[in-house]
Amino acid sequence: ISASSWWKDSLDKIETPDNKTLTFTLKQIDAWSFSSTNAGSPISSSIIPEEIAKAPDFMDKELIGSGRYQFVSHENGANFKIKRFDKWRIKGEPWLAGIDYKLIQEQAAALAAFSSQQIDSVAPNNKLERDQLDQKHGKAIEIDNDLSASIWTLEGRADGPWADPRVRQAVNMAIDRNEFIALMNFGDGQVSGPIPPGFKSYALDEKELATLLKFDAAEARKLLAATSFDTSKEFELKFYVPGDRPAQFAQIVQSQLQKNLGLKIKLVGEDFGTWLQKSLYGSNFSGFITYPTLSYDDPSSYVGSYTKSIGGRENWSKFFDDELDALVNKQKQILDDRLRIEAIKDIQRKALAKAAPFLPIFVAITSTATWGYVKGRVRGRGSYGLFTGQAYIDKS
């Protein structure tokens, strides 16, 4: 977050005229200043020691803070443990003594641990698993369902053999998005444009997406054949491990591009740290990289991939387009909601027309199953629960 463009380009200073007021002064207008990726994030909304604020790289390496909970430990970047901060400003909160986030790589093991109450909450992978938990435990558990704001994404490149936009258009046309929904979620999902359908005002409607994200294998092959693309060369597709779904998504991409375009794709699974820092941020992939995006709470963050610089780093896909770069930055300065909505819709249309190598595939219906003895949970997206949650255990 210390590399966020908002911190460097938009924020001028923060002042505290009294004990209950923060005054933000900006260098430039930004309509999304208080979204979770900017001034509304859990990190930036906390009070940070001055010596750390002066060295933002520190925040990329260490976990700090004295919020409702305190960091205790982790095991190689997983299995985080946090404990209650007894000096929290509201006496009696938080009610939980601590939280353990357990990484269970095998979903079957995670579901078994949940059923035996070794863990209190679990995320079913799909509708089938959700229904099985419901049938097994009934009213003893609570299941929250939501149309995810996380878009399963196929990211390619815009340089080298991928520089011809017709090649990238062929890839888009060779993707059968409904097959992903059927295989990964038993039909429990929705085709998504660059802005997920949950943002109803900003998202392109289904009729328009049916044209812009049209699946036509024959036309895709014809379009690719008209270019000088060498289909005999093998390209890598990188995904992160562990986890069943990232691997499954990558396998479906591999199968479709082989069947519909004749591309040779080698799957490469990497640990998350290597995948994120070297492959994604470092643009170290020869063909494709796949992932579900973060669930942002503002549409602007989704179209940020079309800029020349993403989070202070050069565009991951080497996609450099002057028009889109200017339009993405310009929409941040539009304070009229209606005009900003149209501006963001226009960006999505132009990005797909230019074959920007960030291909949205689908969003899933996501579920979380929790035992009924966990009380006071905050439901829905966003960071609200980090600050006001009053969860507690009641097995009486």
Side-chain angles (χ1 to χ4, degrees):
I1 192 168
S2 60
S4 167
S5 60
W6 183 88
W7 287 94
K8 296 188 297 181
D9 301 332
S10 297
L11 178 65
D12 182 19
K13 58 184 177 180
I14 304 176
E15 298 172 297
T16 54
D18 58 61
N19 289 339
K20 295 185 177 180
T21 305
L22 287 176
T23 301
F24 288 78
T25 302
L26 304 183
K27 300 174 186 175
Q28 60 187 23
I29 297 172
D30 191 332
W32 305 104
S33 284
F34 288 95
S35 64
S36 64
T37 51
N38 299 325
S41 78
I43 294 178
S44 63
S45 294
S46 303
I47 296 174
I48 299 172
E50 182 179 2
E51 61 270 24
I52 293 176
K54 289 180 177 178
D57 288 348
F58 182 89
M59 294 168 62
D60 293 334
K61 305 170 188 173
E62 302 291 340
L63 289 168
I64 62 164
S66 57
R68 298 172 64 246
Y69 294 98
Q70 289 179 302
F71 175 73
V72 176
S73 65
H74 72 90
E75 298 172 3
N76 298 319
N79 296 325
F80 289 95
K81 291 186 177 182
I82 61 177
K83 68 177 182 179
R84 177 172 55 211
F85 179 47
D86 291 328
K87 294 182 180 180
W88 176 242
R89 64 178 181 268
I90 305 175
K91 192 170 181 59
E93 294 183 15
W95 295 354
L96 290 176
I99 304 175
D100 292 350
Y101 293 94
K102 295 182 180 293
L103 173 63
I104 303 176
Q105 299 184 23
E106 296 294 332
Q107 182 70 354
L111 295 172
F114 175 76
S115 291
S116 62
Q117 295 187 7
Q118 296 177 46
I119 58 176
D120 305 300
S121 184
V122 72
N125 266 345
N126 49 53
K127 182 178 183 296
L128 178 62
E129 291 183 359
R130 184 183 71 211
D131 291 346
Q132 288 174 340
L133 286 175
D134 186 43
Q135 292 170 7
K136 186 174 184 178
H137 301 294
K139 294 182 179 180
I141 64 172
E142 296 180 5
I143 299 179
D144 299 319
N145 301 313
D146 190 19
L147 182 64
S148 177
S150 176
I151 307 173
W152 281 94
T153 299
L154 170 62
E155 179 179 338
R157 300 189 67 93
D159 59 354
W162 311 97
D164 188 333
R166 294 175 298 174
V167 174
R168 305 195 300 270
Q169 287 170 347
V171 171
N172 182 33
M173 200 172 290
I175 297 297
D176 181 356
R177 288 164 169 82
N178 288 317
E179 184 178 53
F180 281 88
I181 298 173
L183 294 177
M184 291 184 66
N185 273 71
F186 296 89
D188 211 17
Q190 192 170 333
V191 172
S192 177
I195 304 294
F199 292 94
K200 295 181 180 179
S201 297
Y202 291 89
L204 300 177
D205 62 37
E206 292 184 38
K207 183 178 180 181
E208 189 168 8
L209 287 178
T211 299
L212 295 172
L213 302 178
K214 180 183 178 182
F215 168 58
D216 189 328
E219 188 62 30
R221 281 183 175 271
K222 188 184 302 183
L223 189 60
L224 187 65
T227 72
S228 59
F229 189 85
D230 183 3
T231 56
S232 67
K233 185 177 179 180
E234 184 179 66
F235 295 94
E236 292 179 337
L237 185 159
K238 293 189 174 183
F239 63 98
Y240 62 82
V241 295
D244 300 332
R245 288 172 69 76
Q248 185 184 15
F249 184 79
Q251 289 163 3
I252 299 172
V253 171
Q254 179 191 45
S255 173
Q256 289 193 7
L257 293 182
Q258 169 63 42
K259 178 177 65 176
N260 299 331
L261 277 185
L263 300 188
K264 293 181 173 62
I265 304 295
K266 177 184 178 182
L267 298 184
V268 179
E270 298 180 323
D271 68 88
F272 185 76
T274 300
W275 176 90
L276 182 68
Q277 294 295 334
K278 294 184 178 180
S279 297
L280 183 64
Y281 290 165
S283 303
N284 183 25
F285 58 96
S286 63
F288 302 95
I289 191 166
T290 55
Y291 53 88
T293 68
L294 296 176
S295 295
Y296 298 111
D297 62 2
D298 67 274
S300 182
S301 294
Y302 292 93
V303 296
S305 57
Y306 305 135
T307 57
K308 296 179 181 180
S309 174
I310 306 174
R313 302 174 180 87
E314 190 175 72
N315 187 284
W316 307 330
S317 288
K318 307 304 178 186
F319 177 72
F320 306 111
D321 186 280
D322 291 337
E323 182 185 20
L324 281 175
D325 186 78
L327 289 174
V328 172
N329 289 309
K330 183 179 179 182
Q331 59 84 23
K332 297 178 182 180
Q333 301 175 25
I334 302 174
L335 299 182
D336 181 289
D337 288 345
R338 181 181 57 81
L339 295 177
R340 191 169 62 255
I341 287 170
E342 288 307 313
I344 289 183
K345 284 186 173 182
D346 185 51
I347 289 169
Q348 295 176 79
R349 296 180 183 113
K350 280 185 165 61
L352 292 172
K354 291 172 181 282
F358 299 86
L359 294 181
I361 306 300
F362 80 100
V363 293
I365 301 294
T366 59
S367 304
T368 302
T370 308
W371 282 100
Y373 57 72
V374 181
K375 308 294 185 181
R377 293 180 295 114
V378 176
R379 293 168 171 80
R381 296 185 295 110
S383 58
Y384 177 76
L386 292 173
F387 303 105
T388 61
Q390 297 179 337
Y392 62 97
I393 302 294
D394 181 4
K395 293 187 177 182
S396 59

